[in-house]
């Protein structure tokens, strides 16, 4: 790859980031010359100076009318289409320039009108230059960009256009949740059929048996001004979209707002000097410092918010700890968790049926948010949190990983041409992305006694254990290969059936561990509800075969190949003793 | 080469009177949207475009 590089670009409404593949083949977010990886999506003009990214943020205090931000989501939109909340900003107002959302700013003493496109081109060009500087001369052969799932065809096309004009060779635009899971390579087998790497590294607790290649994922992306929850079926590295919910006006900014009003009250309490939103300069200072303090509280449990001459020349300095932040931000956290519930309901999944929650977006780094989020899932249940890659970096890194996948495809290959020709449209509107999928899990029915002793994994139902081999929501064609131990020498029974996923609800007495002093004596322990995901096997078996095992514990191989039309060939065993079952197409 | 998952669940012995019935088909298929990203998606697309089955694609 030395002769040229590919990059991933997360051009966001609030912040942007770029990732490139390093010499170890790993995707890394690029730091700019100030060492920053999260680059504010903001441009400011001051006389002959142009400030781009985080350097533009201080300009909000005295030069707000010449600062342009929150322009990314305006690309490809008509002015009349914008909501009030999208228009609301403390920076340069959005104006209607013959239907095109634009900004009027003073550049080098002259008033100019820039459309969202013009601003985006300037901004994306600066991202491109940052990448070129970082890659010190290695030509950038192509870029993959991420877009929110909520983007329309017009918005995606407008983004591609602005990026091309900024000098990028746009290989493909991919949905942000897909980029997040691609960064981890969740359920994706490695080259030569190795099992997927665990996102938390080799020492991490392994995935439950049978979920290495197949898991239900909830991707929770909390940015600055929006939250998107996407529920995906991850099937051996192929991801299908089960549901998605996007809520604008729900993100880090709402946490900042809560902090700003808290600090304003603290300032007045301490100094008797009033400070309100009408004092635009003071409020801008406080907003910038509040965001900074919020970030600090993600790293340590207490921080200091300090603003020089906040109002009437009086300085402000106020301590805050994470507990206070979480109290102030609780309504925002709860609203975000509400969106997760909505998305799961749309996907017809109970929280206990979610195998993995993947965090994306800068605000997902708020510890208080992740704690609140985890309460939605059964304690000690199978649901695992995946955030070993910083959530603000994961989307850009996933774009870089996908870019390297495209670059790895031969130049003139059909698959590369196909990827590059994918239409600029939301995935649900792209015909070639609609795939036939299984609707019910196909698996083995084993006697409950055959249940693995002590292994986590499926729970038995009515004395039967259903071991899923090809889960529902698997895009076809699909192949899976497993081994299972024979309980004794002689003919081992393979009894295949489809099943129905359900949730077992038990009332469980919460065992009080001794050091629970804080529990008042009189509070009788009301039983807690325990929810476990189960699959109940159909009575009717779909196929059965016996295979001669030579010894107890012999690992018998079973391969399942499902064709596009739903015909399935099951091969049990290997070599000449193998048995084949042909299930006709439905 | 397929990734092989070793499951710990024991296979029961087939009863001596075991007589398998003819295999039936799985349930009617659904249709869902694939998100176009990741190495496995590129491989999925390669197999589809070049009409390769898994075995041929392994070669
Ligand atoms: N370490 C951190 N702790 C808490 N919040 C953080 C942290 N890093 C970034 N943020 C917040 O994340 C938000 C930006 O998120 P992100 O980088 O995902 O932007 P985005 O995708 O452009 O957002 P959107 O499109 O929703 O406006 C900001 O509110 C920022 O304050
Ligand atoms: Mg984002």
């Amino acid at each position: 790859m030395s002769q040229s590089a590919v990059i991933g670009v997360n051009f966001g409404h609030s912040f942007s980031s770029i990732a490139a593949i390093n010499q170890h083949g790993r995707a890394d977010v690029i730091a700019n010359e100030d060492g920053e990886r999260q680059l504010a999506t903001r441009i400011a003009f001051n006389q002959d100076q142009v400030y781009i990214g985080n350097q533009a943020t201080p300009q909000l205090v005295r030069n707000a009318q010449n600062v342009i931000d929150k322009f990314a989501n305006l690309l490809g939109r008509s002015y009349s289409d914008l909501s009030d909340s999208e228009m609301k900003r403390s920076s340069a107002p959005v104006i209607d320039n013959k239907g095109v959302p634009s900004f009027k700013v003073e550049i080098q003493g002259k008033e100019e009108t820039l459309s969202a496109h013009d601003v985006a081109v300037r901004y994306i060009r600066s991202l491109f230059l940052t990448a070129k500087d970082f890659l010190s001369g290695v030509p950038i052969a192509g870029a993959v960009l991420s877009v929110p799932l909520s983007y329309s065809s017009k918005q995606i096309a407008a983004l591609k256009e602005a990026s091309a004009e900024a000098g990028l060779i746009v290989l493909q635009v991919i949905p942000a949740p897909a980029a997040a899971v691609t960064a981890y390579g969740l359920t994706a087998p490695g080259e030569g059929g190795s099992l997927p790497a665990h996102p938390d590294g080799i020492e991490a607790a392994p995935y439950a048996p049978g979920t290495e290649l197949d898991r239900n994922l909830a991707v929770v992306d909390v940015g600055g001004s929006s939250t998107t929850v996407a529920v995906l079926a991850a099937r051996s590295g192929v991801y299908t979209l089960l549901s998605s919910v996007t809520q604008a006006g729900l993100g880090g900014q709402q946490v900042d707002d809560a902090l700003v009003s808290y600090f304003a009250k603290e300032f007045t309490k301490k100094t008797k000097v009033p400070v309100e939103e009408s004092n635009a300069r003071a409020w801008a200072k406080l907003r910038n410092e509040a965001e900074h303090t919020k970030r600090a509280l993600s790293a340590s449990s207490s921080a200091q918010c300090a603003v020089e001459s906040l109002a009437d020349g009086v300085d402000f300095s106020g301590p805050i700890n994470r507990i206070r932040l979480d109290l102030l931000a609780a309504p925002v956290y709860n609203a975000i968790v509400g969106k997760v519930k909505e998305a799961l309901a749309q996907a017809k999944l109970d929280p206990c049926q979610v195998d993995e929650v993947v965090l994306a977006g800068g605000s997902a780094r708020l510890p208080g948010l992740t704690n609140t989020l985890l309460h939605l899932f059964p304690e000690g249940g199978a649901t695992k949190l995946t955030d070993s890659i910083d959530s603000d970096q994961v989307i850009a890194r996933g774009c870089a990983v996908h870019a390297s996948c495209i670059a790895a495809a031969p130049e003139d290959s059909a698959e590369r041409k196909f990827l590059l020709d994918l239409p600029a449209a939301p995935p649900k509107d792209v015909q070639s992305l609609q795939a036939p999928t299984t609707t019910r899990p196909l698996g083995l029915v084993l006697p409950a006694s055959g249940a693995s002793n002590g292994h986590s994994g499926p729970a038995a139902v009515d004395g039967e254990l259903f071991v899923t081999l090809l889960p529902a929501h698997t895009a076809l064609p699909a192949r899976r290969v497993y081994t299972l131990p024979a309980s004794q020498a002689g003919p081992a029974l393979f009894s295949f059936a489809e099943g129905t996923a359900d949730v077992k609800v038990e009332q469980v007495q919460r065992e009080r561990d001794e050091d629970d002093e804080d529990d008042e004596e009189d509070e009788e322990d009301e039983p807690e509800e325990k929810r476990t995901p189960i699959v109940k096997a159909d009575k009717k078996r779909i196929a059965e075969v016996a295979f001669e095992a030579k010894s107890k514990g012999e690992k018998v191989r079973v391969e399942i190949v499902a064709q596009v039309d739903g015909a399935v060939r099951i091969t049990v065993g290997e070599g000449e003793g193998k048995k084949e079952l042909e299930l006709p197409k439905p | 080469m397929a990734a092989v998952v070793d499951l710990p669940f024991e296979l029961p012995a087939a009863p001596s009177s075991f007589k398998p019935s003819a295999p039936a088909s799985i349930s009617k298929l659904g249709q869902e949207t694939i998100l176009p990203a990741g190495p496995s998606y590129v491989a999925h697309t390669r197999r589809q475009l070049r009409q390769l089955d898994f075995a041929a694609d392994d070669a």
Side-chain angles (χ1 to χ4, degrees):
Chain A
M1 276 312 289
S2 61
Q3 74 285 20
S4 74
V6 286
I7 57 173
V9 178
N10 175 11
F11 169 58
H13 198 51
S14 303
F15 283 80
S16 299
S17 46
I18 332 150
I21 304 292
N22 65 23
Q23 66 281 31
H24 312 301
R26 210 183 67 130
D28 269 344
V29 170
I30 292 172
N32 65 10
E33 71 276 12
D34 302 330
E36 295 151 335
R37 295 176 196 278
Q38 280 186 50
L39 315 169
T41 307
R42 181 169 288 126
I43 293 186
F45 302 90
N46 196 332
Q47 306 308 339
D48 51 10
Q49 281 291 347
V50 180
Y51 302 90
I52 297 188
N54 302 330
Q55 287 177 357
T57 302
Q59 293 289 313
L60 285 168
V61 176
R62 285 194 180 71
N63 183 27
Q65 68 285 7
N66 288 316
V67 177
I68 305 176
D69 54 24
K70 302 286 184 291
F71 53 87
N73 293 352
L74 308 187
L75 277 176
R77 308 269 302 281
S78 56
Y79 181 84
S80 53
D81 175 31
L82 303 183
S83 68
D84 292 344
S85 64
E86 280 178 304
M87 304 266 281
K88 187 170 183 294
R89 62 210 39 229
S90 61
S91 49
V94 185
I95 59 170
D96 180 0
N97 179 14
K98 301 189 207 58
V100 175
S102 305
F103 306 89
K104 198 174 285 176
V105 288
E106 197 188 287
I107 304 176
Q108 295 174 330
K110 214 155 67 50
E111 189 165 84
E112 297 205 20
T113 299
L114 300 176
S115 67
H117 171 83
D118 301 333
V119 184
V121 170
R122 281 172 183 255
Y123 185 80
I124 295 170
R125 188 174 292 133
S126 83
L127 293 180
F128 188 34
L129 293 177
T130 299
K132 272 201 268 190
D133 293 348
F134 179 83
L135 292 166
S136 49
V138 172
I140 296 177
V144 165
L145 290 100
S146 69
V147 283
L149 270 175
S150 53
Y151 262 30
S152 68
S153 301
K154 278 231 212 85
Q155 287 180 285
I156 299 172
L159 172 61
K160 285 177 86 167
E161 202 194 318
S163 306
E165 197 175 317
L168 290 177
I169 299 165
V170 180
L171 299 175
Q172 194 184 331
V173 174
I174 63 175
V181 297
T182 298
Y184 287 107
L186 294 179
T187 75
E191 291 297 328
S194 58
L195 284 176
H198 196 292
D200 302 344
I202 30 169
E203 341 69 34
Y207 284 108
T211 66
E212 297 84 345
L213 297 178
D214 297 293
R215 291 196 295 280
N216 297 329
L217 311 177
V219 183
V220 182
D221 179 352
V222 191
S225 66
S226 66
T227 289
T228 297
V229 182
V231 182
L232 309 182
R235 301 294 187 257
S236 192
V238 177
Y239 310 109
T240 56
L241 184 64
L242 299 184
S243 71
S244 87
V245 169
T246 296
Q247 180 63 59
L250 178 58
Q253 216 173 302
Q254 281 59 45
V255 176
D256 301 346
D257 295 344
L259 279 173
V260 165
S261 52
Y262 169 73
F263 287 134
K265 287 197 202 77
E266 287 294 294
F267 174 73
T268 305
K269 218 176 352 177
K270 270 190 190 165
T271 64
K272 306 295 174 267
V273 175
V275 62
E276 283 103 17
E277 189 158 6
S278 53
N279 181 342
R281 191 164 290 185
W283 217 249
K285 279 187 188 177
L286 203 47
R287 192 178 296 114
N288 287 352
E289 184 58 19
E291 200 228 341
H292 182 70
T293 308
K294 171 185 70 172
R295 288 165 180 265
L297 283 174
S298 288
S300 51
S301 58
S302 65
Q304 191 76 9
C305 178
V307 181
E308 266 169 40
S309 70
L310 174 59
D312 299 358
V314 179
D315 294 347
F316 170 63
S317 167
I320 183 168
N321 60 31
R322 198 178 283 170
I323 297 161
R324 169 69 62 186
L325 169 65
D326 291 348
L327 270 174
L328 293 167
V332 182
Y333 295 165
N334 293 332
I336 290 165
V337 174
K339 292 299 149 189
V340 179
K341 280 186 195 157
E342 233 178 277
L344 292 183
Q346 259 183 44
K348 298 189 184 61
L349 284 179
D350 183 279
C352 72
Q353 294 171 314
V354 176
D355 300 296
E356 195 161 0
V357 175
V358 181
L359 296 184
S363 298
R365 294 189 59 181
L366 289 159
L369 172 57
T370 35
N371 293 339
T372 311
L373 179 58
L374 287 177
H375 288 321
L376 180 59
F377 302 95
E379 208 184 317
T383 309
K384 176 202 171 310
L385 181 70
T386 292
D387 62 353
S388 51
I389 298 175
D390 287 344
S391 57
D392 54 280
Q393 298 194 10
V394 74
I395 291 173
R397 284 173 63 162
C399 290
V401 167
H402 187 63
S404 65
C405 293
I406 297 176
E411 195 85 33
D412 51 11
S413 61
E415 59 269 23
R416 186 176 181 135
K417 188 178 175 333
F418 173 86
L419 295 171
L420 267 55
D421 291 348
L422 274 170
K428 61 177 175 33
D429 299 343
V430 178
Q431 186 46 38
S432 60
L433 296 181
Q434 307 316 308
T437 53
T438 55
T439 48
R440 301 185 68 215
L442 174 65
L444 276 172
V445 187
L446 305 176
S449 62
S452 59
N453 29 39
H455 292 279
S456 61
V461 177
D462 310 338
E464 281 180 339
L465 180 67
F466 185 93
V467 176
T468 301
L469 300 181
L470 190 68
H473 305 302
T474 301
L476 300 182
R479 169 176 62 175
R480 294 289 184 276
V481 180
Y482 300 91
T483 67
L484 294 102
S487 55
Q488 58 186 59
L493 175 65
F494 280 81
S495 184
F496 298 94
E498 286 185 313
T500 306
D502 205 346
V503 176
K504 183 166 75 177
V505 184
E506 298 159 290
Q507 297 304 338
V508 170
Q509 201 59 31
R510 198 168 67 87
E511 350 76 54
R512 287 227 320 242
D513 35 30
E514 307 71 33
D515 50 30
D516 246 354
E517 299 90 10
D518 50 31
D519 278 351
E520 299 82 19
E521 264 328 302
D522 49 30
E523 178 226 291
E524 31 78 28
D525 307 320
E526 67 308 316
E528 256 185 18
E529 194 186 70
K530 184 162 184 282
R531 304 176 72 87
T532 319
I534 54 170
V535 179
K536 195 170 176 336
D538 290 354
K539 282 283 158 278
K540 185 173 83 64
R541 295 298 179 258
I542 216 165
E544 287 190 307
V545 73
F547 176 79
E548 193 64 31
K550 296 183 192 60
S551 62
K552 178 179 180 352
E554 175 190 327
K555 281 189 177 178
V556 185
R557 186 180 190 275
V558 54
E559 172 170 322
I560 298 184
V561 178
Q563 300 302 341
V564 174
D565 60 8
V568 178
R569 167 182 301 135
I570 301 177
T571 309
V572 170
E574 295 167 277
E576 78 305 321
K578 71 178 177 182
K579 299 275 181 76
E580 284 193 349
L581 296 166
E582 300 287 346
L583 283 58
K585 66 180 173 67
Chain B
M1 250 293 289
V4 179
V5 174
D6 293 326
L7 295 175
F9 313 117
E10 280 189 346
L11 296 162
S16 49
S17 60
F18 171 67
K19 209 169 63 42
S21 51
S25 58
I26 61 173
S27 298
K28 203 163 129 358
L29 301 182
Q31 182 179 273
E32 283 166 37
T33 302
I34 290 185
L35 298 183
S40 302
Y41 170 70
V42 175
H44 173 84
T45 303
R46 182 181 62 242
R47 284 191 293 272
Q48 213 171 9
L49 293 171
R50 303 190 190 179
Q51 265 110 35
L52 293 169
D53 62 22
F54 288 99
D57 193 36
D58 291 345

